[in-house]
Amino acid sequence: MIVVHYAGISCDMDAIMKIAKSKNIYVIEDAAQAIESKYKNKYLGTIGDIGCLSFHDTKNITCGEGGALFINRKDPKLIEKAEIIREKGTNRSKFFRGEIDKYTWVDIGSSYLPSDILAAFLFAQLKKASFITSLRRKKYNYYRTKLLPLAKKGLIELPYIPKNVVHNAHIFYILLPSNEIRDAVLKFLNKKGIPASFHYVPLHSSPVGTKLGNKVYDLPITTDKANRLLRLPIYSEIKRVEQDYVINILTKALRYKS
Ligand SMILES: *Cc1c(COP(=O)(O)O)cnc(C)c1O
């Protein structure tokens, strides 16, 4: 079972782990967006059997491309398999540790090692991770406070943050009342120079998803949210005046639309 912590906000991990345990299946956390986020005081990516972080250039902590794999289950076979996949299908990691006297090809794999230069770049980011996250949270909370009146009027919905969850302010999204309003508001914001955007076309409705036999109506809630979702620009150094501009233009757009 693969769960995605969308926008860096945790899934209901107690419920997920309970189901997985009862069916004896692995849980893989896609924590690509969720570095520094927590569920009940545990970092996301460390709760399931396996967790993945991304350091892609769209993420909070980045080195352009790359990621991290957490193997949380105490299973030497899983670790060995990951080492082999990372090292082009060879057991070179064992060779480096002096466990074997020459290395060879033992399975499929690819070259997933980051370069030293990228690793150095990432290291500096990781050292500042909590500072970067705290900056983002400030920007996030500013949007949230300022947009609360619009939410109270029912013009937008704000993200739901469950109790026991600390999030990393990766994405600031709102939900509009309909797909038509979302598209019109998005167009208006873009025209005013604001890089707002929608987000993922749900996987089940993508060309690959439908080829695998899924129908768009299979996941009505996912489809509905994706149709109404709009992301506002957020990054650690966005200025107060820039956020105010976004809020003003958004308010204007909604006045026309409602
Ligand atoms: C960015 C992202 C990925 C992909 O990460 P890469 O480092 O580009 O492989 C996967 N899942 C989610 C939810 C993401 O946001």
Side-chain angles (χ1 to χ4, degrees), residues 4-5 30 32-33 53-56 58-59 65-67 170 200:
V4 181
H5 301 301
D30 179 343
Q33 302 182 359
L53 293 183
S54 171
F55 304 125
H56 182 257
T58 53
K59 308 301 198 256
E65 286 282 7
H170 177 59
Y200 304 125

Side-chain angles (χ1 to χ4, degrees), residues 2-256:
I2 301 175
V3 297
V4 181
H5 301 301
Y6 181 72
I9 302 166
S10 181
C11 300
D12 187 350
M13 289 310 291
D14 279 353
I16 287 161
M17 296 310 288
K18 204 170 143 194
I19 295 168
K21 220 173 206 170
S22 73
K23 310 271 182 206
N24 204 21
I25 47 181
Y26 277 70
V27 173
I28 301 173
E29 291 180 76
D30 179 343
Q33 302 182 359
I35 191 166
E36 291 270 309
S37 292
K38 287 181 177 179
Y39 174 82
K40 294 196 173 174
N41 231 16
K42 278 193 198 141
Y43 283 109
L44 299 186
T46 67
I47 303 166
D49 299 289
I50 292 175
C52 316
L53 293 183
S54 171
F55 304 125
H56 182 257
D57 68 18
T58 53
K59 308 301 198 256
N60 289 16
I61 302 298
T62 179
C63 59
E65 286 282 7
L69 180 73
F70 298 153
I71 296 171
N72 305 317
R73 188 179 268 238
K74 286 201 177 59
D75 181 349
K77 281 216 182 90
L78 267 184
I79 297 168
E80 189 181 333
K81 178 112 187 163
E83 282 184 347
I84 289 166
I85 291 171
R86 180 173 73 163
E87 277 282 15
K88 307 155 191 75
T90 72
N91 54 6
R92 201 158 170 242
S93 301
K94 274 192 172 166
F95 172 69
F96 281 140
R97 285 195 296 270
E99 293 164 22
I100 46 177
D101 62 1
K102 58 179 179 299
Y103 74 85
T104 186
W105 281 260
V106 291
D107 207 339
I108 55 165
S110 191
S111 192
Y112 292 111
L113 299 153
S115 73
D116 288 354
I117 292 168
L118 289 189
F121 189 96
L122 179 65
F123 186 53
Q125 293 252 315
L126 286 172
K127 281 205 285 194
K128 286 199 160 187
S130 68
F131 174 64
I132 292 168
T133 307
S134 72
L135 288 180
R136 292 186 78 101
R137 284 198 185 112
K138 265 188 211 142
K139 318 294 176 178
Y140 188 101
N141 291 335
Y142 186 68
Y143 270 142
R144 205 173 167 104
T145 311
K146 289 286 179 174
L147 295 177
L148 204 56
L150 293 177
K152 284 197 171 140
K153 280 188 203 153
L155 295 172
I156 61 169
E157 281 172 59
L158 293 172
Y160 168 65
I161 316 287
K163 270 187 230 154
N164 299 322
V165 165
V166 178
H167 72 94
N168 64 356
H170 177 59
I171 287 171
F172 191 93
Y173 73 86
I174 56 172
L175 296 175
L176 281 307
S178 71
N179 181 238
E180 293 70 40
I181 296 177
R182 193 278 306 271
D183 286 351
V185 168
L186 181 57
K187 212 168 145 193
F188 189 73
L189 294 182
N190 289 163
K191 216 173 73 189
K192 295 286 181 184
I194 296 167
S197 47
F198 58 92
H199 214 180
Y200 304 125
V201 173
L203 268 185
H204 75 285
S205 66
S206 68
V208 178
T210 52
K211 212 191 257 175
L212 292 171
N214 299 292
K215 301 275 181 283
V216 175
Y217 57 73
D218 283 346
L219 297 172
I221 296 173
T222 301
T223 303
D224 172 61
K225 304 260 181 199
N227 282 339
R228 299 192 291 118
L229 192 143
L230 184 139
R231 289 180 294 152
L232 300 179
I234 187 166
Y235 50 97
S236 53
E237 286 173 333
I238 190 169
K239 293 190 186 82
R240 185 58 53 100
V241 291
E242 291 169 327
Q243 286 192 285
D244 286 337
Y245 179 69
V246 173
I247 294 158
N248 286 338
I249 297 295
L250 176 64
T251 309
K252 225 181 206 173
L254 289 167
R255 206 176 295 143
Y256 289 136

